[in-house]
């Protein structure tokens, strides 16, 4: 199947193929495109620019061939499933009313036809590894689709959670109540709240920044995101055996200086996992995307390392949401040389360099 698809509105493509559905996930990072011609229908999961990250055959509308049709395979036309891999070898009529249900993370989608589950393209779909996605009308495994029936037990809970999440998220007061829960946890763990800024810019996910000024024997300000943990990060289950312990995070910084400078880190990273379809975790690093002299924590540094449970900083553990524990990742400034060292040897190689002063250097 082709590696780039149009992601514009539904309509005729000009080669006899009709785009019957285009839907963008809530974070703007993935687009579902469903196409059909008189022969077959297919769904594509696309990134920016139309790059295909997953694709699944949906239906043949004519009798199935005995084997793979190389002409359609090498063209931009929707593929046909071979006779042995379809429940309707004689073909079936056009698709009915289509409705997508995005996973909470935004990296996968379930597609319904007339309120019946038709297909699932999960975040781990990868045509280059022979995993196209799951289709209701598919039998066995082919390069175009795997049987949805055989995979349903493993997908059902994921789909149910996605439906429940978006129903909750669309309800009145959902964001306000979540924000109150996080703020209450930080009140108990850190201290009195100061200023609050919006870091979401009107885009999903909603993210705020809360400031906790110095008090008692703490001489530095604590800043934390509020809202990242309201939705699970994409792709975690592809790397971690227990995603429930790592899929939800908030970010934190300890700053002795102007908190507004350190807060710029959250404008940079607070929505990054969902817009870039990736995840952040303990030991991860991020290189500053702009000129070195603009780095918020000083031009000597080139990015940040993310670490949990640091000595001398408040213990922010103990908060959970959606049945998952939430990790707070402390952002520690590191130099360009240290970024290179982590890339070559892993984050532990830099840990001996992180003095107590560095942990509260932000600002």
């Amino acid at each position: 199947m082709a590696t780039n698809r149009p992601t514009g509105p539904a309509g005729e493509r000009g080669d006899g193929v009709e785009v019957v559905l285009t839907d963008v996930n809530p974070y703007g990072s993935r687009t579902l495109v469903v196409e059909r011609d008189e022969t077959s229908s297919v769904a594509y999961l696309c990134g920016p620019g139309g790059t295909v990250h997953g694709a699944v055959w949906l239906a043949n509308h004519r009798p199935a061939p005995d084997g793979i049709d190389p002409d359609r395979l090498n063209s931009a036309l929707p593929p046909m499933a071979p006779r042995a891999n379809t429940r309707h070898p004689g073909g079936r009529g056009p698709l009915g009313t289509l409705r997508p249900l995005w996973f909470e993370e935004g990296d996968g989608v379930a597609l319904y036809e007339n309120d019946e589950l038709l297909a699932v393209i999960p975040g781990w779909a990868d045509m280059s590894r022979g995993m196209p996605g799951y289709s209701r009308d598919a039998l066995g495994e082919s390069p175009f689709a795997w049987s949805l029936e055989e995979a349903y037990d493993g997908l059902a809970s994921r789909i149910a959670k996605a439906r429940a999440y978006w129903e909750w998220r669309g309800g009145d007061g959902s964001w306000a109540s979540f924000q109150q829960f996080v703020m209450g946890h930080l009140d108990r763990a850190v201290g009195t709240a100061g200023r609050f800024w919006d870091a979401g810019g009107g885009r999903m996910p909603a993210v705020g920044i809360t400031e906790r000024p110095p008090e008692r024997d703490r001489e530095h300000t604590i800043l934390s995101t509020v809202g990242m943990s309201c939705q699970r990060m994409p792709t975690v289950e592809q790397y971690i055996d227990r995603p429930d312990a790592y899929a939800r995070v908030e970010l934190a910084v300890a700053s002795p200086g102007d908190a507004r400078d350190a807060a710029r880190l959250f404008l940079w990273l607070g929505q990054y996992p969902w817009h870039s379809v990736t995840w952040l975790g303990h030991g991860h690093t991020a290189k500053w995307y702009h000129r070195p002299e603009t780095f918020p924590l000083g031009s000597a540094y080139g990015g940040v390392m993310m670490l949990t449970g640091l000595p001398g900083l408040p213990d922010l553990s103990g908060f959970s949401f959606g049945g998952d524990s939430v990790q707070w990742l402390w952002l520690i400034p590191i130099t360009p040389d240290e970024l290179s060292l982590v890339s070559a040897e892993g984050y532990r190689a830099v840990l001996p360099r992180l003095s107590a002063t560095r942990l509260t250097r932000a600002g």
Side-chain angles (χ1 to χ4, degrees), residues 24-313:
V24 181
N25 75 8
Y27 313 114
S29 57
R30 290 289 184 266
T31 301
L32 175 67
V33 179
V34 179
E35 297 179 350
R36 70 170 299 275
D37 63 6
E38 294 182 354
T39 299
S40 61
S41 295
V42 64
Y44 296 95
L45 186 63
C46 304
T51 300
V52 175
H53 293 275
V56 65
W57 165 88
L58 301 175
N60 289 348
H61 305 304
R62 290 180 173 175
D66 291 333
I68 293 174
D69 183 340
D71 292 336
R72 292 188 74 87
L73 182 63
N74 296 322
S75 72
L77 300 174
M80 289 191 77
R83 178 175 297 274
N85 296 114
T86 173
R87 295 182 183 278
H88 303 285
R92 53 150 291 180
L95 299 176
T97 301
L98 299 177
R99 176 177 58 85
L101 173 65
W102 289 97
F103 287 5
E104 178 180 342
E105 302 89 336
D107 60 346
V109 63
L111 180 64
Y112 287 81
E113 179 192 16
N114 301 331
D115 296 324
E116 181 179 343
L117 186 61
L118 174 65
V120 177
I121 309 179
W124 58 87
D126 185 343
M127 291 184 297
S128 67
R129 296 189 293 112
M131 206 286 109
Y134 307 95
S135 174
R136 180 190 65 196
D137 288 354
L139 291 175
E141 298 178 3
S142 77
F144 311 123
W146 289 13
S147 168
L148 177 60
E149 181 181 47
E150 294 177 9
Y152 183 75
D153 288 346
L155 294 169
S157 62
R158 186 69 171 269
I159 294 169
K161 287 180 179 179
R163 181 181 299 106
Y165 175 79
W166 292 115
E167 288 176 354
W168 169 81
R169 192 66 180 86
D172 292 339
S174 60
W175 167 244
S177 64
F178 175 83
Q179 180 180 335
Q180 183 178 3
F181 290 146
V182 180
M183 294 288 280
H185 172 74
L186 292 171
D187 288 344
R188 294 185 293 273
V190 183
T192 307
R195 292 171 291 182
F196 187 91
W197 299 280
D198 172 66
R203 297 195 301 167
M204 285 286 286
V207 178
I209 304 170
T210 179
E211 173 194 49
R212 309 285 158 154
E215 62 178 47
R216 296 191 290 274
D217 59 348
R218 175 165 51 81
E219 298 179 352
H220 46 269
T221 296
I222 300 294
L223 297 171
S224 173
T225 57
V226 177
M228 292 181 70
S229 62
C230 190
Q231 51 280 304
R232 294 166 63 102
M233 292 182 294
T235 74
V236 177
E237 72 278 346
Q238 298 178 40
Y239 302 94
I240 298 293
D241 291 336
R242 290 188 54 230
D244 57 307
Y246 299 92
R248 298 187 190 273
V249 299
E250 300 285 353
L251 303 179
V253 166
S255 172
D258 189 336
R260 291 172 296 182
D261 290 336
R264 290 172 57 201
L265 295 174
F266 300 143
L267 297 175
W268 169 36
L269 294 174
Q271 297 176 317
Y272 181 78
W274 298 273
H275 294 171
S276 298
V277 191
T278 188
W279 67 293
L280 304 176
H282 178 72
H284 289 195
T285 60
K287 182 181 179 181
W288 183 241
Y289 68 99
H290 205 21
R291 299 188 311 273
E293 63 269 21
T294 68
F295 186 63
L297 310 185
S299 59
Y301 299 106
V304 296
M305 176 183 286
M306 305 171 208
L307 299 172
T308 60
L310 295 178
L313 295 175

